[in-house]
Amino acid sequence: MFVTLALLFTFNMKKILLLSDTHSHIDDTILKYVAQADEVWHAGDIGDLSVTDAIKKVTPLRAVYGNIDDAQARLEFPLHERFLCEGVSVWMTHIGGYPGKYNPAIRAELERNPPKLFICGHSHILKVQFNKKLNLLHMNPGAAGKSGFHQVRTMLRFVINGEAIQDLEIIEIEKRV
């Protein structure tokens, strides 16, 4: 009996909810989207850990700490998270910059060993941009919390299907008052 290599490397499709900069805020609207995801990824500035605790009660969570996060958050979550999701290599950090203006603390490693998907938060500015030079997709989901200068609370939702990142959606939660 012969088994093809394709059968040995089958992937499942995963629905990902990406958020950042909650700054201690979690609400029913965010949790509605959390419940629809296979995994939630939080790109830092969590604030109170009740945010991540609420998410973990609903679905698996990957998170990194941000510059406002306290010692407790820094014990629970790393500064950088590199992992494989299905067939996609991912690097998530809070202060990463963006194509052409990456954080100097990580630029050399990013250029030496780029992931397929690079995720950061911090700016409160939603941005999705393909970096042709490094052949990676950069994502910043903006800010899901109510603290900061952003006018609209945002998150990103997408599917990882094998080695493909697809079905990207911008979620605008609400305009801030």
Side-chain angles (χ1 to χ4, degrees):
M1 181 167 148
F2 294 96
V3 178
T4 65
L5 284 178
L7 292 177
L8 295 175
F9 296 104
T10 58
F11 298 106
N12 293 319
M13 188 171 67
K14 285 212 176 166
K15 294 179 278 185
I16 307 298
L17 178 67
L18 175 61
L19 56 98
S20 183
D21 296 277
T22 49
H23 292 264
S24 301
H25 180 79
I26 188 90
D27 59 31
D28 290 339
T29 303
I30 294 171
L31 289 172
K32 175 184 84 168
Y33 288 102
V34 166
Q36 297 169 9
D38 295 319
E39 288 185 14
V40 172
W41 299 349
H42 195 303
D45 277 3
I46 298 159
D48 192 288
L49 290 182
S50 62
V51 170
T52 50
D53 291 344
I55 293 168
K56 287 189 285 188
K57 286 180 183 173
V58 179
T59 198
L61 170 73
R62 292 180 186 268
V64 294
Y65 71 79
N67 56 296
I68 68 129
D69 292 317
D70 64 14
Q72 187 178 3
R74 291 168 192 239
L75 285 172
E76 185 166 344
F77 300 108
L79 175 61
H80 304 284
E81 178 87 27
R82 287 198 81 150
F83 58 96
L84 192 65
C85 180
E86 303 307 315
V88 175
S89 61
V90 181
W91 182 349
M92 183 166 57
T93 192
H94 183 61
I95 303 177
Y98 54 90
K101 301 248 186 218
Y102 289 116
N103 179 348
I106 64 167
R107 185 180 307 128
E109 177 62 21
L110 191 59
E111 291 172 354
R112 184 172 37 260
N113 186 17
K116 183 168 185 170
L117 177 57
F118 181 68
I119 294 169
C120 62
H122 186 63
S123 70
H124 292 224
I125 299 169
L126 186 143
K127 183 179 283 203
V128 177
Q129 184 176 355
F130 186 74
N131 181 329
K132 291 178 188 176
K133 180 181 174 191
L134 298 179
N135 195 34
L136 65 79
L137 183 61
H138 165 89
M139 288 187 188
N140 184 324
K146 293 188 173 187
S147 297
F149 65 89
H150 57 283
Q151 297 301 303
V152 179
R153 296 171 50 219
T154 57
M155 301 182 293
L156 291 171
R157 182 165 58 178
F158 56 95
V159 171
I160 294 184
N161 187 2
E163 295 181 352
I165 302 164
Q166 59 193 44
D167 300 333
L168 177 66
E169 297 176 73
I170 295 170
I171 299 168
E172 292 185 346
I173 300 171
E174 68 183 3
K175 288 195 179 218
R176 292 186 47 224
V177 279

